[in-house]
Amino acid sequence: LRTDLDGTCAPVFADAGQMEQVLLNLVLNARDAITGRGEVWITTAAATRADAVAASHADVEVPAEHYVLLSVGDSGCGMPPQVQARIFEPFFTTKEPGMGTGLGLSTVYGIVRQSGGHIWVYSEEGLGTVFKLYFPVTEEAAEETTAARTPDEALQGSETVLVVDD
């Protein structure tokens, strides 16, 4: 995840696969919150400690000076305060039985915290929801990972593939 911070690229310490999971969970939830026509948006921006503290609305320790802000929002139905208070709990869901596990937002929360970040949600019934994820900027250079490619003929084995389709 990168954004422009004072004219330079600002890397954050996060696993690319986990960031994909974060975005997928947030965007799918946003889509599900919209009935009929609506909008889902994703933005990134540079942020400072002051921005993160102001967004928290609480006495939260925000140690880094610079952050990358990832926002995912929708123009959906929004959430009442009693739902907002529980959204990061594992297995909590407002979806119909069989339509969700209640693990999406708790997984997002875990990934953000594991990356040293913070997550806040703003929601009003009838107006939509915005998730703001703050990831601390790191000075470490990103590791280039290049998987060693194995020739196709070497990819033979006795594995079993299980496909489950509902």
Side-chain angles (χ1 to χ4, degrees), residues 126-151:
L127 297 177
T129 301
V130 177
F131 284 86
K132 292 189 172 192
L133 290 66
Y134 290 84
F135 294 93
V137 171
T138 183
E139 299 301 322
E140 297 178 26
E143 290 183 23
E144 294 295 325
T145 56
T146 54
R149 301 284 180 201
T150 308

Side-chain angles (χ1 to χ4, degrees), residues 74-117:
D74 65 68
S75 60
C77 60
M79 293 181 276
Q82 64 271 21
V83 170
Q84 287 183 52
R86 299 189 59 200
I87 60 172
F88 297 122
E89 293 178 16
F91 305 111
F92 175 76
T93 184
T94 59
K95 296 180 181 175
E96 297 292 323
M99 299 302 292
T101 62
L103 292 174
L105 290 177
S106 63
T107 299
V108 168
Y109 180 84
I111 291 170
V112 171
R113 296 300 293 154
Q114 178 184 350
S115 300

Side-chain angles (χ1 to χ4, degrees), residues 150-156:
T150 308
D152 288 339
E153 60 271 4
L155 297 177
Q156 298 178 8

Side-chain angles (χ1 to χ4, degrees), residues 28-82:
L28 289 177
N29 281 350
R31 178 206 61 192
D32 293 346
I34 297 171
T35 54
R37 297 184 64 149
E39 294 181 355
V40 175
W41 60 90
I42 302 169
T43 62
T44 59
T48 65
R49 177 183 297 140
D51 298 328
V53 170
S56 74
H57 303 296
D59 187 22
V60 176
E61 182 181 336
V62 181
E65 183 62 37
H66 296 287
Y67 289 84
V68 171
L69 168 60
L70 170 65
S71 298
V72 178
D74 65 68
S75 60
C77 60
M79 293 181 276
Q82 64 271 21

